Structure formats: structure tokens, C-alpha cells
Amino acid sequence: MFEDQVVLITGAANGIGLAAAQQFATMGAQVFINDLDTDACTSAAHSIREAGNTAWPLPGDVTNPKTPELLIQQVLDQCGHLNILVNNAGFTWDGMLHKMTDEQWQQVQEVHTMAPFRLTRAIAQIWRPLAKEEMKTGYPHPHRCIVNVSSTSGLHGNTGQINYATAKMGVIGMTKTIAREWGIFGIRCNAVAFGFIDTRLTRPLDEGHTLLIEGEEIALGIPQKVRDASFAAIPMGRPGTADEAAAGILLMASPLASYITGHTLEVTGGLGI
């Protein structure tokens, strides 16, 4: 389905991003895996190549203002073109509103909204001129699209996640605006809002998963009682798997969604209906 297409996925060394990279590669795409963790990034690309598919590691911090243009240029230097951008990188740094620090707020905005904005702005310098040239002889190339990762926290809000909820709602506004501005060029932009997916971000807090951000170790996961309450609210009665979540990304990037843009697909097991 994605033969001869080139895909760049941020935050793709673990969880949903890695599952998406594996699925894209299995379906014929050439995949570039970006992640903050250099070792995990390299290992993820290696595992895909060992399976007989094509992947390259592109380690880097997407919150660094210089990284987005550098990533795009590295993809172009290697393959000459880019078809699909998946803005997936992110993390949670939870806290109740009255206790949340400016740093907690800003770091989450940087990774979930500023980084996708910069990456999208960088690819605009490539895609828009190409589409304009193509339009001189007919309809622009149909295989260019962006998939932004959002969350039900952005759609409905979530206790202890005012920073994350605000950022993920911002992703939806960004998605709709890109779709409006770039539809004329045949470039689609959609979002996928995940509910409770089994990843490091949603596993029990006492498992001890952490992420190092600018020298500060951030605990990942949620309290067990919150997990239990979340399960009870899901009509399908269970969390989704990383593979099930990734399938939503592939659906919105695929030819099956060729006339869908500006949409937010909810992959939630029914949570929030």
C-alpha cells in the first residue's frame, strides 16, 4: 500500500511510533525513525531492517529549533523526497493545575505543538513549490500528507493534565488549519486522537518508567486507581494495543483516506462517546 513512499515518524523508537514504523515498513514504505533516545532509535531501525524492510535512524530532539529542518534535509538527502510526516513525539508531565510549574507547562507545549509546527513549516518549503509546479500540468501529486497525534485528553480535558490537554487540543486546531491552507495543493492533514493505549505513558506509575528531559528525570505512567477507573469507562473494556493505535495512523495516511482532510479520528475503544 505504501510502496515507493517515504515516511518520517517522530518519537518512533517505542510504543505507538515504533508500531507505526513497523507497519509502514511492512507495507513497503521507506521509514525514517526519529527519537530523542539515540540507542533506542538505532535499535528500532535495525529491527525493521532485520525483518527485511527499509528503515533509517534519525536521532534528535524535536524541541530543538534547529532539529526539524535538519531532519527534513536528512530525509531528502537520503531518498530525494518525503511523502508522509507523522508528528508523534510526545510525553506527559502531569500535575494538578494549582501545583503545575511553568516548566511543566512549557515543556509539554514545546514537544506537542511547537515541534509539529516547526516540522510542518519546514516541509512546506519542499511540498508547496512542488505542488505548484505540478498544478501547471494537472492535479497535484496525491501522496503527500501529515498525520498529527492528538488525544482524548485534548478532546475532553483530563484531571491532572491541563498542560497535555491544552497541547493536544492545539494539535487539532493546527491540523484543521493546515488542511484548509494546503488542500488546494493536494496535501492532506489529519489527526488521530488516542484514548487509553497500553504504552509507557499509561502503565502503572510504580513500574518506574522515566524520561530524561533537559537533565530532569520525569516519571512516566499513571496511578493504578486511575488505570482501573479508565478501564471501567471504556465500552470495549480494555486498553488498546500499540499496534491498534498505529493502525489508525496508517489508515489516515493511506489511499483509503484520499478525500479525508482536517479530520480527527478517535481510536479509543469507545471511550468518550
Side-chain angles (χ1 to χ4, degrees):
M1 184 178 292
F2 295 101
E3 289 81 4
D4 301 321
Q5 295 196 34
V6 178
V7 183
L8 169 60
I9 309 174
T10 65
N14 293 282
I16 297 169
L18 176 57
Q22 292 167 335
Q23 291 179 26
F24 271 118
T26 298
M27 294 187 183
Q30 302 174 67
V31 181
F32 286 84
I33 295 175
N34 161 260
D35 202 272
L36 181 64
D37 186 331
T38 298
D39 291 341
C41 187
T42 301
S43 177
H46 179 70
S47 69
I48 290 173
R49 291 197 299 270
E50 280 199 322
N53 300 309
T54 305
W56 293 275
L58 281 185
D61 179 1
V62 291
T63 65
N64 183 323
K66 297 181 180 179
T67 298
E69 289 189 357
L70 180 62
L71 293 179
I72 298 298
Q73 191 57 55
Q74 287 176 306
V75 171
L76 296 177
D77 289 345
Q78 179 70 38
C79 292
H81 67 286
L82 175 63
N83 300 96
I84 300 166
L85 170 63
V86 180
N87 286 309
N88 170 72
F91 59 89
T92 54
W93 193 356
D94 295 349
M96 299 299 284
L97 185 154
H98 63 287
K99 294 182 179 180
M100 184 164 291
T101 66
D102 287 356
E103 183 184 12
Q104 274 178 283
W105 174 274
Q106 193 59 38
Q107 286 287 350
V108 169
Q109 307 311 311
E110 286 286 332
V111 71
H112 290 285
T113 58
M114 183 62 86
F117 163 70
R118 287 178 176 143
L119 277 156
T120 302
R121 183 175 59 186
I123 198 60
Q125 311 310 313
I126 309 302
W127 281 356
R128 283 170 55 95
L130 283 173
K132 288 179 180 180
E133 285 300 310
E134 292 161 358
M135 290 170 71
K136 294 177 181 178
T137 57
Y139 196 72
H141 193 292
H143 298 299
R144 296 187 186 110
C145 72
I146 297 169
V147 180
N148 293 322
V149 171
S150 185
S151 168
T152 52
S153 291
L155 296 175
H156 307 296
N158 197 24
T159 302
Q161 289 193 324
I162 191 168
N163 52 356
Y164 185 71
T166 299
K168 286 308 192 184
M169 177 53 82
V171 166
I172 294 172
M174 184 186 308
T175 297
K176 291 179 179 293
T177 301
I178 296 165
R180 285 182 178 274
E181 291 189 7
W182 293 8
I184 190 64
F185 303 115
I187 301 168
R188 298 185 301 108
C189 184
N190 291 292
V192 180
F194 297 123
F196 199 105
I197 307 298
D198 183 29
T199 69
R200 295 180 301 167
L201 301 186
T202 60
R203 289 185 185 139
L205 193 59
D206 59 13
E207 285 190 4
H209 296 289
T210 61
L211 187 66
L212 193 65
I213 300 294
E214 294 190 353
E216 182 158 0
E217 192 172 55
I218 298 171
L220 302 178
I222 58 178
Q224 186 62 52
K225 65 179 181 179
V226 176
R227 285 171 53 87
D228 294 342
S230 297
F231 293 168
I234 301 171
M236 291 186 69
R238 64 173 179 84
T241 67
D243 283 332
E244 288 173 320
I249 293 174
L250 268 75
L251 172 61
M252 300 313 286
S254 78
L256 296 173
S258 62
Y259 197 59
I260 300 173
T261 193
H263 180 67
T264 299
L265 176 69
E266 297 183 44
V267 181
T268 68
L271 180 66
I273 58 174

